[in-house]
Amino acid sequence: METANAKAQLVRLTIPVTGMSCASCVRRVERALSNHEGVEEADVNFASETASVAYHPEATKRDELIRVIREAGYGVDVRERTFGVTGMTCASCVGRVERALRQLPGVVGASVNLANQQAKVSYIAGEVAPQDLEKAVEGAGYGVVREDEGASVEGSREREYGKLTSDFFLAAALTALILIGSVPMMLGFMPPVPVAWLNLGLLVLATPVQFWAGRRFYRGAWGALKHGQANMNTLVVMGTSAAYLYSAVAALAPGLSAAGRADVYFDTSALIITLILLGRLLEARARSRTNEAIKKLAGLQAKTARVVRSGEEVEVPVEGVQIGDVVVVRPGEKIPVDGRVLSGESAVDESMITGESIPVTKRAGDEVIGATMNTSGSFRFTATKVGEDTALQQIVRMVEEAQGSKAPIQRLADRISAVFVPA
């Protein structure tokens, strides 16, 4: 468990160490940790297979301590968990969720992807529980997609898109009526009904837009406010609430103004909410299309493979193929994993990787790529890359990382907004 020592300004972390077999291993791990910069004290317990480290957090990081142990030849029980996060709308939200996760004791690293609405967390087993990760995200003002509740990231994303769509169309319809009702006063004409009654009608139309269609902005602003922070939701809430509340007072108590009536700005607050909802709807649609493209890309992989085991050809799921297995590919079949041809000759369509439409002839010793199509002939090859190491999975991973990466101008915008929004 991680605790702070006020006198020495130290942080103590307990790390589970694997691979130790004797007292010499204990001394080796202790020596490696003690010699690392920023470490004040290191105590390794062979019986419990743990290392208790007291270190200066400003001089070293948790992931550096883990790296030191691994470089000494031992392992650390670091686990990864990926779960869905709801309610994120901008880069500021991503940074807030990442900070909330990284502040937990035992969390080695946290990466949040805005495009697919997922958080990937590396943490030390025993130091932090999966439930703690979820509570940290919820404490930052965002939602978590829990698998044990029968939910999925895809299902949650679709439900959120449906809510966003219905909110936008409700806001758009009511805003159109508000604009129609506001046109006479904006152009200086006398409306066909008394101004007081017209303002009350506009109030009735604007209220659902402000507090129902715009409720997501209030939730986001409140979540940030609880942590003493401000975000783009805060700006929307402040601007639209000011216009709405002023107009509500003018509509309900016109006598408070010197002239006996006051102008109302229901059209302003409603239009702002509607346009921002439209922007978020378009953004969600773009994310959905990108995620669909990634799913289609991943779906190119073969589902099964024909592997030679004990002298016989056995059909197994592609996940069951191991490095070194001999795989048989027949005409018209997809190559299940990456490998090197052992025997046989065939033409392979590699257009999904290279873009070249002409099939490439493959002979003994040539490399083949998983998910490409064998057009003619049959051959056997040795699996050299399986699972996440195949070329196709690396492409999928790079696309996902590109979704979550930031251009330099985006990072500059994040720094500016960190000052602009609160100000």
Side-chain angles (χ1 to χ4, degrees):
M1 187 169 294
E2 195 174 275
T3 57
N5 188 322
K7 181 179 178 181
Q9 301 242 333
L10 297 177
V11 170
R12 185 168 293 276
L13 177 66
T14 301
I15 306 174
V17 182
T18 60
M20 296 188 298
S21 58
C22 60
S24 176
C25 298
V26 172
R27 289 193 295 272
R28 189 174 295 113
V29 175
E30 284 183 346
R31 188 162 53 248
L33 288 170
S34 299
N35 292 336
H36 185 65
E37 182 183 1
V39 175
E40 192 74 20
E41 178 187 344
D43 181 24
V44 180
N45 189 316
F46 179 67
S48 62
E49 294 187 309
T50 58
S52 180
V53 186
Y55 66 98
H56 296 277
E58 67 277 3
T60 189
K61 305 296 181 184
R62 285 170 242 177
D63 55 345
E64 294 179 7
L65 301 177
I66 292 172
R67 178 179 54 80
V68 168
I69 295 174
R70 287 175 171 167
E71 289 178 350
Y74 302 92
V76 178
D77 191 3
V78 175
R79 301 178 184 177
E80 286 190 351
R81 183 161 188 263
T82 301
F83 54 91
V85 180
T86 61
M88 297 189 299
T89 58
C90 61
S92 177
C93 299
V94 171
R96 190 170 295 111
V97 174
E98 287 182 347
R99 283 194 298 272
L101 289 169
R102 287 170 180 163
Q103 288 173 356
L104 289 176
V107 170
V108 178
S111 175
V112 179
N113 191 319
L114 177 62
N116 59 21
Q117 302 279 291
Q118 286 187 331
K120 186 176 183 180
V121 187
S122 301
Y123 62 96
I124 299 173
E127 288 298 291
V128 62
Q131 294 81 2
D132 297 330
L133 304 177
E134 297 173 356
K135 290 179 181 178
V137 173
E138 291 174 338
Y142 301 90
V144 175
V145 180
R146 292 184 173 85
E147 295 180 359
D148 55 356
E149 295 177 352
S152 66
V153 176
E154 282 297 323
S156 175
R157 190 181 295 128
E158 290 177 2
R159 287 192 297 273
E160 182 62 23
Y161 183 78
K163 292 178 182 177
L164 189 57
T165 302
S166 61
D167 288 346
F168 166 71
F169 281 113
L170 171 67
L174 295 178
T175 299
L177 296 175
I178 293 171
L179 290 175
I180 293 173
S182 302
V183 165
M185 289 183 289
M186 285 190 293
L187 298 179
F189 299 142
M190 287 299 296
V193 296
V195 173
W197 287 101
L198 179 60
N199 288 343
L200 289 175
L202 295 177
L203 172 62
V204 172
L205 293 173
T207 300
V209 177
Q210 186 72 32
F211 298 109
W212 179 254
R215 65 192 183 281
R216 64 187 69 244
F217 304 120
Y218 285 93
R219 283 202 299 260
W222 174 245
L225 182 62
K226 287 192 297 185
H227 295 81
Q229 299 171 338
N231 56 18
M232 296 306 293
N233 291 314
T234 309
L235 292 180
V236 175
V237 168
M238 289 176 62
T240 59
S241 295
Y244 172 85
L245 293 175
Y246 172 84
S247 301
V249 171
L252 295 173
L256 294 179
S257 64
R261 61 175 291 272
D263 294 329
V264 295
Y265 303 96
F266 292 119
D267 55 329
T268 301
S269 61
L271 190 58
I272 289 174
I273 289 176
T274 302
L275 291 177
I276 295 177
L277 285 175
L278 175 61
R280 292 194 176 180
L281 183 63
L282 295 175
E283 182 184 14
R285 185 180 180 185
R287 283 201 306 264
S288 176
R289 289 186 174 180
T290 305
N291 292 324
E292 284 293 328
I294 292 176
K295 286 199 298 182
K296 289 180 180 178
L297 186 61
L300 294 174
Q301 188 175 35
K303 300 297 185 289
T304 61
R306 191 174 290 102
V307 181
V308 177
R309 289 180 179 169
S310 302
E312 296 183 357
E313 295 182 8
V314 182
E315 190 168 301
V316 299
V318 70
E319 294 82 7
V321 180
Q322 301 175 0
I323 294 177
D325 279 346
V326 176
V327 184
V328 180
V329 183
R330 296 174 179 172
E333 293 181 343
K334 283 184 178 180
I335 298 173
V337 295
D338 297 1
R340 182 177 290 105
V341 178
L342 283 176
S343 61
E345 181 177 328
S346 181
V348 178
D349 181 1
E350 296 182 337
S351 58
M352 56 85 60
I353 296 290
T354 64
E356 177 57 57
S357 59
I358 300 176
V360 181
T361 302
K362 298 292 182 179
R363 301 182 178 88
D366 291 340
E367 300 285 340
V368 291
I369 304 173
T372 55
M373 180 67 70
N374 178 34
T375 60
S376 63
S378 63
F379 60 91
R380 295 188 176 195
F381 71 93
T382 303
T384 57
K385 293 181 180 179
V386 299
E388 296 295 323
D389 295 327
T390 62
L392 178 64
Q393 291 301 321
Q394 289 179 17
I395 292 173
V396 172
R397 185 164 57 250
M398 285 190 292
V399 173
E400 291 177 341
E401 290 174 354
Q403 278 187 307
S405 63
K406 298 177 184 177
I409 189 63
Q410 286 180 288
R411 287 191 287 268
L412 175 62
D414 291 345
R415 290 197 295 269
I416 294 174
S417 65
V419 177
F420 171 75
V421 173

